[in-house]
Each structure stands twice: as C-alpha cells, then as structure tokens.
Amino acid sequence: MIDEQQLEAAIDEHFHHAGDRLFRMECLPRYMASEGEESDFQRYLAGADGPDMERKEQWLAILRSEEARGLISYRVRAFSNAMTEYERYEADWCYVHNAAAGEDIAVLRDGEHDTPATFIREDFWLVNDALLIPMQYDEHGRFLSADIVTDPETIAPYLRARDEAHAAAEPFRAWWDRHPELHQRQRAA
C-alpha cells in the first residue's frame, strides 16, 4: 500500500518519455480533494463565477507541458445518471479547463451510454500498460491508499476495461456541449 506522495512518485517515475501513456478511470460520485480544490467546490456550491484560476493554472501548466513533451494523458469519467453536485462541479470547473489544456477526457454516463461488459467500476491508473495502480477511498471519497501492480495477468483485465470503456465513452467536449443544463451558469439563469 502506498500513500499520495508515493503514488505521485510512482507515476512520475514511469511517465516522463515522449509516447508514455497515463490513463485514469474515475467512478466515484464525490472525491475529498486538496484544500484548494475543496475550497473551489464550496465556491461552486455558493454560485461563484469560476475556480481559483491562479491555483488551477499550476495544474493546467503541467498538462500543457506534458502534451508538449509528447506524453499522453487520458481518462474515462463514469458519471451517475442523476449527477451529484460534485460531478457537475468536476465537469464545469475541472474538466472544461483540463480538456482545453490537452487532457483527453471521455464520459460514460449511466443511462446515457452503454457500459461495456468488461467495465471495472473502480478507480485506477494505468501507466504504459505495464503498471496498474488501483485506488482505495473511504465512503466520503477520501483517498486511503493505492497498490502498485506489475503482474501482467492481473493487469490484463484492466487494459481491456480501459480500452473498451474509452471506445464506448463520448469525448468530454462533445458531451458537455450537448448538456447545457448541467452548466452552472445555465442552471442559475
């Protein structure tokens, strides 16, 4: 079991050469994030105009730098049919900006997209098809720990799940554009 710093170090160690691929599967209805992200979520709930872009710009700069260096970062976000406020926040204040900075984000929404039979409804990272990092969270979405798995037989079903989920998912920008009712400003109007 590893903590958040060890998780970041493991990813950084294996994700730094042009052509390296980093995949993230996200499935939880809520994540307890860093203090800054939690502050943004509270501001979102209060109807603020947007995230703290000074804080967010640090992350967006990393995404742009990775893309410029030829690193491939992508994710599938599984959303519930009746999206939680946190899921709406993630789409509106996080993914809009991450996608613009170069991250390939795709959406599988319950009741809207067909979920592949191979789908694994848990959070995990895959790095270069050779490193699996399953994530553990508590019932409130607080990160507890992660594992590092290198056994090809254990990784194989996650590779299939990733590939089929990504193929079945809709690109975030197209999905987001089809759902103005989920946009914060649209809902407030």
Side-chain angles (χ1 to χ4, degrees):
M1 298 296 230
I2 59 173
D3 63 21
E4 286 181 281
Q5 287 86 13
Q6 293 166 316
L7 168 64
E8 288 177 23
I11 290 172
D12 289 344
E13 180 182 342
H14 295 91
F15 183 64
H16 51 82
H17 293 106
D20 282 355
R21 297 182 328 148
L22 177 65
F23 173 79
R24 173 82 159 105
M25 176 64 75
E26 284 186 310
C27 298
L28 295 181
R30 170 88 160 92
Y31 294 91
M32 293 295 290
S34 69
E35 187 176 312
E37 287 181 44
E38 190 61 30
S39 172
D40 270 354
F41 179 51
Q42 294 308 314
R43 291 177 61 244
Y44 171 84
L45 292 175
D49 286 338
D52 174 352
M53 288 308 291
E54 185 176 320
R55 180 194 60 77
K56 187 148 189 66
E57 183 54 42
Q58 295 171 18
W59 174 244
L60 299 176
I62 290 170
L63 290 175
R64 286 190 292 270
S65 170
E66 288 174 351
E67 183 181 46
R69 293 180 5 240
L71 300 171
I72 302 161
S73 178
Y74 64 119
R75 78 176 67 216
V76 169
R77 179 52 161 111
F79 282 131
S80 58
N81 185 32
M83 290 177 64
T84 67
E85 285 300 311
Y86 186 84
E87 289 173 321
R88 290 173 189 237
Y89 154 77
E90 265 190 325
D92 209 357
W93 281 25
C94 300
Y95 297 151
V96 165
H97 299 286
N98 290 8
E103 184 179 13
D104 173 2
I105 303 167
V107 172
L108 272 180
R109 185 176 180 196
D110 292 340
E112 186 174 348
H113 302 101
D114 291 331
T115 304
T118 59
F119 187 67
I120 298 174
R121 192 172 289 273
E122 65 183 57
D123 282 50
F124 61 89
W125 293 92
L126 281 166
V127 187
N128 295 324
D129 296 354
L131 185 70
L132 166 65
I133 307 173
M135 312 281 285
Q136 288 84 44
Y137 294 88
D138 70 12
E139 66 274 8
H140 305 290
R142 187 174 298 111
F143 175 81
L144 298 173
S145 65
D147 291 321
I148 297 204
V149 179
T150 57
D151 174 54
E153 287 185 35
T154 303
I155 295 173
Y158 288 85
L159 296 174
R160 280 190 300 280
R162 176 205 58 200
D163 293 346
E164 292 184 19
H166 194 257
E170 182 175 355
F172 172 77
R173 178 48 63 189
W175 176 82
W176 187 243
D177 288 347
R178 285 191 315 98
H179 288 288
E181 75 280 6
L182 299 175
H183 301 198
Q184 182 185 37
R185 286 186 183 89
Q186 189 69 20
R187 288 180 309 159

Short mmCIF file of all heavy atoms in Angstrom, two decimals, residues 1-4 134-137 142-147:
data_model
loop_
_atom_site.label_atom_id
_atom_site.label_comp_id
_atom_site.label_asym_id
_atom_site.label_seq_id
_atom_site.Cartn_x
_atom_site.Cartn_y
_atom_site.Cartn_z
N MET A 1 0.84 -1.18 0.00
CA MET A 1 0.00 0.00 0.00
C MET A 1 0.88 1.25 0.00
O MET A 1 1.88 1.30 0.70
CB MET A 1 -0.89 0.02 1.24
CG MET A 1 -1.84 -1.15 1.31
SD MET A 1 -3.01 -1.11 -0.05
CE MET A 1 -4.51 -1.29 0.82
N ILE A 2 0.48 2.23 -0.80
CA ILE A 2 1.25 3.46 -0.89
C ILE A 2 0.35 4.66 -0.60
O ILE A 2 -0.87 4.60 -0.77
CB ILE A 2 1.91 3.62 -2.28
CG1 ILE A 2 0.87 3.62 -3.40
CG2 ILE A 2 2.93 2.51 -2.51
CD1 ILE A 2 1.43 3.93 -4.78
N ASP A 3 0.96 5.76 -0.16
CA ASP A 3 0.21 6.99 0.11
C ASP A 3 0.24 7.90 -1.12
O ASP A 3 0.79 7.54 -2.16
CB ASP A 3 0.75 7.68 1.37
CG ASP A 3 2.20 8.15 1.22
OD1 ASP A 3 2.69 8.32 0.08
OD2 ASP A 3 2.85 8.36 2.27
N GLU A 4 -0.31 9.10 -0.99
CA GLU A 4 -0.42 10.00 -2.13
C GLU A 4 0.94 10.43 -2.69
O GLU A 4 1.11 10.50 -3.91
CB GLU A 4 -1.24 11.24 -1.75
CG GLU A 4 -2.72 10.93 -1.64
CD GLU A 4 -3.55 12.14 -1.29
OE1 GLU A 4 -3.57 12.52 -0.11
OE2 GLU A 4 -4.17 12.71 -2.22
N PRO A 134 -4.44 0.45 -8.56
CA PRO A 134 -5.82 0.54 -8.06
C PRO A 134 -5.86 1.45 -6.83
O PRO A 134 -4.97 1.43 -5.99
CB PRO A 134 -6.17 -0.90 -7.67
CG PRO A 134 -5.01 -1.75 -8.06
CD PRO A 134 -3.86 -0.86 -8.35
N MET A 135 -6.91 2.26 -6.75
CA MET A 135 -7.05 3.26 -5.70
C MET A 135 -8.12 2.81 -4.69
O MET A 135 -9.12 2.23 -5.08
CB MET A 135 -7.48 4.58 -6.31
CG MET A 135 -6.67 5.00 -7.53
SD MET A 135 -5.11 5.69 -7.09
CE MET A 135 -5.67 7.27 -6.53
N GLN A 136 -7.90 3.14 -3.44
CA GLN A 136 -8.88 2.88 -2.40
C GLN A 136 -9.29 4.21 -1.75
O GLN A 136 -8.43 5.02 -1.41
CB GLN A 136 -8.34 1.94 -1.32
CG GLN A 136 -8.18 0.50 -1.77
CD GLN A 136 -6.88 0.26 -2.50
OE1 GLN A 136 -5.85 0.73 -2.08
NE2 GLN A 136 -6.94 -0.44 -3.62
N TYR A 137 -10.61 4.37 -1.59
CA TYR A 137 -11.18 5.57 -0.99
C TYR A 137 -12.17 5.13 0.10
O TYR A 137 -12.71 4.04 0.05
CB TYR A 137 -11.96 6.38 -2.03
CG TYR A 137 -11.09 6.96 -3.11
CD1 TYR A 137 -10.81 6.23 -4.26
CD2 TYR A 137 -10.56 8.24 -3.00
CE1 TYR A 137 -10.02 6.76 -5.27
CE2 TYR A 137 -9.76 8.77 -4.00
CZ TYR A 137 -9.49 8.04 -5.13
OH TYR A 137 -8.71 8.56 -6.12
N ARG A 142 -12.57 10.08 0.29
CA ARG A 142 -11.25 10.46 0.79
C ARG A 142 -10.25 9.36 0.44
O ARG A 142 -10.49 8.19 0.71
CB ARG A 142 -11.30 10.64 2.31
CG ARG A 142 -10.03 11.20 2.92
CD ARG A 142 -10.19 11.49 4.41
NE ARG A 142 -11.23 12.49 4.63
CZ ARG A 142 -12.41 12.25 5.21
NH1 ARG A 142 -12.72 11.04 5.64
NH2 ARG A 142 -13.28 13.22 5.38
N PHE A 143 -9.15 9.73 -0.20
CA PHE A 143 -8.13 8.78 -0.59
C PHE A 143 -7.57 8.08 0.65
O PHE A 143 -7.22 8.73 1.63
CB PHE A 143 -6.99 9.50 -1.33
CG PHE A 143 -5.83 8.62 -1.67
CD1 PHE A 143 -5.87 7.79 -2.77
CD2 PHE A 143 -4.69 8.61 -0.87
CE1 PHE A 143 -4.79 6.97 -3.09
CE2 PHE A 143 -3.61 7.80 -1.18
CZ PHE A 143 -3.66 6.98 -2.28
N LEU A 144 -7.51 6.76 0.58
CA LEU A 144 -6.93 5.97 1.67
C LEU A 144 -5.55 5.46 1.29
O LEU A 144 -4.58 5.65 2.03
CB LEU A 144 -7.84 4.80 2.02
CG LEU A 144 -9.23 5.14 2.54
CD1 LEU A 144 -10.06 3.89 2.69
CD2 LEU A 144 -9.12 5.91 3.87
N SER A 145 -5.46 4.79 0.15
CA SER A 145 -4.18 4.22 -0.28
C SER A 145 -4.33 3.71 -1.71
O SER A 145 -5.41 3.74 -2.29
CB SER A 145 -3.76 3.06 0.64
OG SER A 145 -4.69 1.99 0.53
N ALA A 146 -3.21 3.22 -2.22
CA ALA A 146 -3.20 2.62 -3.55
C ALA A 146 -2.22 1.46 -3.53
O ALA A 146 -1.39 1.34 -2.63
CB ALA A 146 -2.78 3.66 -4.60
N ASP A 147 -2.33 0.61 -4.51
CA ASP A 147 -1.41 -0.51 -4.68
C ASP A 147 -0.64 -0.30 -5.98
O ASP A 147 -1.10 0.40 -6.88
CB ASP A 147 -2.18 -1.84 -4.78
CG ASP A 147 -2.84 -2.24 -3.47
OD1 ASP A 147 -2.24 -2.04 -2.42
OD2 ASP A 147 -3.97 -2.75 -3.54
#
